[in-house]
Amino acid sequence: MHVAPYVWYITVGLLLALLIVDVFVIGRRPHEPSTKESARAIAGYVGLAVLFGLGVWVFSGGEYAGEFFAGWLTEYSLSVDNLFIFLIIMSRFSVPRKYQQTALLIGIILALVFRGVFIAVGAAAINEFSWVFYLFGAFLVYTAIHLAMQGENDDDDFKENAVIRFAKKRLNATDEYNGVKLTVRKNGKRLVTPMALVIIALGTTDLLFALDSIPAIYGLTQEPFLVFTANVFALMGLRQLYFLLGDLLKRLVYLSIGLSVVLAFIGVKLVLHAMHVNELPFVNGGHHIEWAPEIPIWFSLGFIIITLGITTVASLHKSRNSTPAVDPAPAVDPKPAEERQ
């Protein structure tokens, strides 16, 4: 796929412009978005992603369009799973609702930065070493097994990493929020606010999720332009989705299991591709393994859509049927206590 430099500049410029506008609005008025505001924003971002994919189809063909849509859906699903962890972090740190949008926006910006770095590193590694597909594939299969062993999404699955524990222990922090400020001065001392700890938690979580998302997208396309745009579009509108779905996120109990199936599929696809282009001297004498099949993108896209669809339907069905029934109130004897005795 040939992408002219000016197309890169225009695409990156427009996406950054959207982000800058978002930051300016949020920075000026931290608030909890209304349902109407959130739905409108999500519809706009999803519409832009679909239009972009159709544009790729028109100018570069259906193969690359399929790669974009497959990558976007996979990254979007991983981002929603990331959002579930964000929800737990907000709850653990008791972030006021009106400040959560700002925290989410910062978390999404950090995710963009981390993914941008990993995209560049991944592209450089792929260009130089074809055997890196073996590593990516093995890592995704390992991640898939880890997710599958976790089972249903649950608040107890979240464990604070070493960075969060270190920050809590070593940083002088106040228990009170001071708007969206990260530090506050009290009695002549500079203290960090709980918001700073929230940002640390979101940032480290973003870093861990980037380690999963980049090999996954490179398993569907090796075009850096599509990898970058799929990741950016997958992160757009997540904060609005957070407020729109609310507790519905907790109802997607099988999301991790569905993602584990998708990641395992992409991992196997990567290993097969690595075998097909094999250059390792100790594997098949350094020759390509011709019998290793290349899974077409249309099959990958269909598999991802069907798997995530089944996951969503099964999750909502399980959540609806597992709603605890309310025990009827015990009958009260109308007679006075003296008569009952």
Side-chain angles (χ1 to χ4, degrees), residues 139-175:
F139 179 74
L140 287 183
V141 171
Y142 166 79
T143 302
I145 294 173
H146 179 70
L147 280 176
M149 291 177 63
Q150 285 184 355
E152 301 176 11
N153 278 343
D154 190 276
D155 289 10
D156 295 333
D157 290 338
F158 175 76
K159 294 180 176 58
E160 294 179 348
N161 58 52
V163 177
I164 302 175
R165 294 195 299 270
F166 176 84
K168 277 186 170 183
K169 186 176 181 180
R170 298 296 182 183
L171 296 179
N172 294 322
T174 177
D175 295 329

Side-chain angles (χ1 to χ4, degrees), residues 255-266:
L255 180 59
S256 290
I257 296 177
L259 283 173
S260 70
V261 174
V262 171
L263 292 179
F265 168 79
I266 298 174

Side-chain angles (χ1 to χ4, degrees), residues 192-205:
V192 299
T193 66
M195 182 63 75
L197 299 178
V198 170
I199 299 305
I200 293 172
L202 295 178
T204 52
T205 301

Side-chain angles (χ1 to χ4, degrees), residues 179-245:
V180 295
K181 294 180 179 180
L182 303 182
T183 63
V184 65
R185 183 173 292 277
K186 277 190 174 183
N187 300 324
K189 288 185 177 181
R190 177 65 65 177
L191 306 175
V192 299
T193 66
M195 182 63 75
L197 299 178
V198 170
I199 299 305
I200 293 172
L202 295 178
T204 52
T205 301
D206 282 331
L207 181 60
L208 295 176
F209 269 84
L211 291 173
D212 296 336
S213 66
I214 299 308
I217 187 69
Y218 273 118
L220 298 167
T221 178
Q222 281 83 59
E223 296 294 333
F225 182 73
L226 297 181
V227 172
F228 172 75
T229 51
N231 270 277
V232 173
F233 279 116
L235 291 171
M236 284 184 171
L238 278 187
R239 58 184 178 80
Q240 290 91 347
L241 187 65
Y242 174 91
F243 289 99
L244 182 65
L245 296 183

Side-chain angles (χ1 to χ4, degrees), residues 223-298:
E223 296 294 333
F225 182 73
L226 297 181
V227 172
F228 172 75
T229 51
N231 270 277
V232 173
F233 279 116
L235 291 171
M236 284 184 171
L238 278 187
R239 58 184 178 80
Q240 290 91 347
L241 187 65
Y242 174 91
F243 289 99
L244 182 65
L245 296 183
D247 291 336
L248 182 61
L249 283 171
K250 293 185 177 181
R251 295 176 61 190
L252 298 176
V253 292
Y254 293 137
L255 180 59
S256 290
I257 296 177
L259 283 173
S260 70
V261 174
V262 171
L263 292 179
F265 168 79
I266 298 174
V268 171
K269 184 177 185 292
L270 275 170
V271 172
L272 290 174
H273 176 73
M275 294 167 65
H276 193 75
V277 299
N278 177 67
E279 294 178 348
L280 291 177
F282 53 85
V283 177
N284 198 38
H287 302 294
H288 303 334
I289 303 176
E290 299 299 336
W291 61 260
E294 288 278 12
I295 300 176
I297 193 62
W298 63 264

Side-chain angles (χ1 to χ4, degrees), residues 43-55 68-69 72 229-230 233-234 236:
Y45 287 131
V46 170
L48 286 174
V50 172
L51 285 175
F52 181 85
L54 294 176
F68 169 77
F69 282 120
W72 173 56
T229 51
F233 279 116
M236 284 184 171

